[in-house]
């Protein structure tokens, strides 16, 4: 792999360990993240020696989600007064690119096991919704935060989480943008188990990856393929729909207010305009 800025990748005993390392605060997801993620998982998918993947994060937090300051140029042209077809088309293309980055995780033929510690917000939840198995440390906290920044979540969580946590739980989390702790996440099925601390969560993810890697690799890939068959078409259709919806309806005074509040470090005041 070329030199990476947002991840490290280590391979050992048929297992690849992919670790988020920033460069944004709290492993926020910026341009490097979205450029490197599909490259990494494309190469791991094609590597015959790799049978399972552990997805982890450095530092106290898994991810603060989308790095709004770093990704602000993506929104700029769309927010110009009277933005017409060209900027909306460009924005639609960018949404699809971000979606495809996370889809590379979901479509990797090698099972992916995540270990989550600290905050897992917005895009972080989108990311873990694309893996196969999730473990959390006791300090983990989760939030589908997009509604609080005047955005309809559009890169995976709304489409991949219904079979994982159920539609009622998803509606509660997405519509309120509330935070939940690790114990609640385990209760609703977002994570398989809660471990005492980040090291234990990572150990659990590694142990499960080792168990997977000990099985016949093509059979494991077949199990993942069969389990994902019915879901994949519906997810793809939903991602296409929300990309078109956001390209049409995302620009608003509330979004401008949300972005300004982030940069000015204050509470936004939404007025539904």
């Amino acid at each position: 792999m070329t030199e990476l800025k947002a991840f490290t990748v280590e391979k050992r005993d048929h297992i690849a360990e992919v670790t988020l390392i920033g460069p944004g605060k709290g492993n926020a997801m910026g341009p490097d993240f979205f450029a490197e993620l599909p490259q990494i998982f494309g190469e791991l998918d094609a590597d015959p020696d790799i049978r399972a993947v552990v997805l982890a994060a450095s530092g106290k937090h898994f991810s603060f989600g989308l790095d709004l300051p770093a990704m602000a140029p993506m929104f700029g042209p769309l927010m110009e007064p009277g933005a017409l077809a060209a900027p909306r088309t460009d924005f639609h293309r960018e949404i699809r690119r971000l979606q495809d980055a996370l889809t590379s995780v979901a479509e990797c033929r090698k099972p992916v096991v995540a270990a989550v510690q600290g905050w897992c917000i917005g895009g972080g939840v989108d990311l873990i919704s694309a893996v196969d198995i999730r473990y959390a440390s006791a300090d983990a906290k989760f939030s589908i935060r997009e509604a609080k920044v005047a955005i309809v979540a559009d890169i995976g969580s709304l489409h991949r989480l219904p079979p994982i946590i159920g539609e009622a739980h998803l509606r509660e989390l997405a519509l309120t943008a509330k935070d939940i702790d690790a114990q609640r996440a385990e209760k609703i099925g977002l994570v398989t188990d809660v471990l005492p601390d980040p090291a234990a969560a990572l150990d659990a993810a590694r142990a499960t990856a080792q168990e997977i890697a000990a099985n016949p690799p093509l059979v494991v890939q077949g199990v993942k393929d069969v389990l994902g068959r019915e879901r994949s078409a519906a997810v793809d259709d939903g991602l296409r729909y929300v990309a078109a919806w956001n390209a049409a309806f995302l620009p608003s005074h509330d979004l401008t207010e949300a972005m300004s509040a982030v940069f000015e470090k204050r509470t936004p005041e939404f007025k539904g305009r």
Side-chain angles (χ1 to χ4, degrees):
M1 296 183 184
T2 57
E3 184 177 351
L4 301 173
K5 296 179 180 179
F7 299 91
T8 61
V9 179
E10 296 182 4
K11 300 178 182 180
R12 186 183 302 109
D13 300 328
H14 302 299
I15 297 169
E17 191 161 308
V18 179
T19 305
L20 284 72
I21 58 170
K25 182 180 179 181
N27 300 317
M29 299 157 61
D32 292 323
F33 174 94
F34 289 104
E36 294 171 6
L37 188 69
Q39 172 196 346
I40 291 168
F41 277 88
E43 293 187 23
L44 294 178
D45 180 81
D47 188 336
D49 190 53
I50 296 301
R51 300 183 179 185
V53 181
V54 172
L55 179 64
S58 62
K60 295 181 179 180
H61 304 287
F62 184 79
S63 178
F64 286 171
L66 193 69
D67 189 340
L68 286 175
M71 300 297 285
M74 171 180 165
F75 295 92
L78 192 68
M79 303 305 295
E80 294 292 332
L84 298 177
R88 292 176 187 273
T89 299
D90 291 342
F91 185 72
H92 180 266
R93 185 183 303 112
E94 280 298 290
I95 294 174
R96 292 295 291 162
R97 183 179 68 84
L98 305 191
Q99 290 175 343
D100 288 346
L102 270 66
T103 295
S104 71
V105 178
E107 293 189 348
C108 179
R109 291 175 297 169
K110 320 304 170 63
V112 184
V113 186
V116 180
Q117 79 277 8
W119 279 110
C120 181
I121 301 173
V125 178
D126 290 310
L127 177 58
I128 66 169
S129 73
V131 311
D132 298 282
I133 302 168
R134 291 156 291 276
Y135 294 102
S137 63
D139 71 335
K141 292 175 284 188
F142 303 83
S143 179
I144 302 176
R145 187 70 62 86
E146 284 84 351
K148 285 190 175 180
V149 289
I151 296 174
V152 175
D154 59 9
I155 56 174
S157 59
L158 298 188
H159 313 289
R160 294 191 172 101
L161 284 181
I164 297 171
I165 66 174
E167 189 167 324
H169 290 306
L170 176 57
R171 285 176 182 267
E172 179 188 22
L173 297 182
L175 293 171
T176 65
K178 69 194 302 178
D179 306 332
I180 62 170
D181 61 19
Q183 288 68 36
R184 177 76 192 285
E186 182 184 20
K187 183 177 180 180
I188 65 177
L190 181 58
V191 299
T192 299
D193 199 2
V194 176
L195 290 304
D197 53 51
L202 183 54
D203 285 344
R206 287 168 171 164
T208 296
Q210 289 168 355
E211 288 186 81
I212 292 170
N215 290 329
L218 297 182
V219 170
V220 167
Q221 293 173 32
V223 170
K224 180 168 179 174
D225 183 54
V226 170
L227 287 173
R229 178 183 175 275
E230 292 185 4
R231 224 177 293 174
S232 59
V235 169
D236 182 64
D237 181 66
L239 290 173
R240 290 179 182 276
Y241 180 82
V242 74
W245 199 97
N246 268 354
F249 298 114
L250 186 69
S252 67
H253 290 287
D254 281 347
L255 178 59
T256 301
E257 168 65 8
M259 298 286 280
S260 298
V262 169
F263 285 105
E264 296 167 12
K265 298 182 179 180
R266 60 175 174 80
T267 302
E269 296 183 12
F270 297 128
K271 299 180 179 179
R273 294 189 292 142

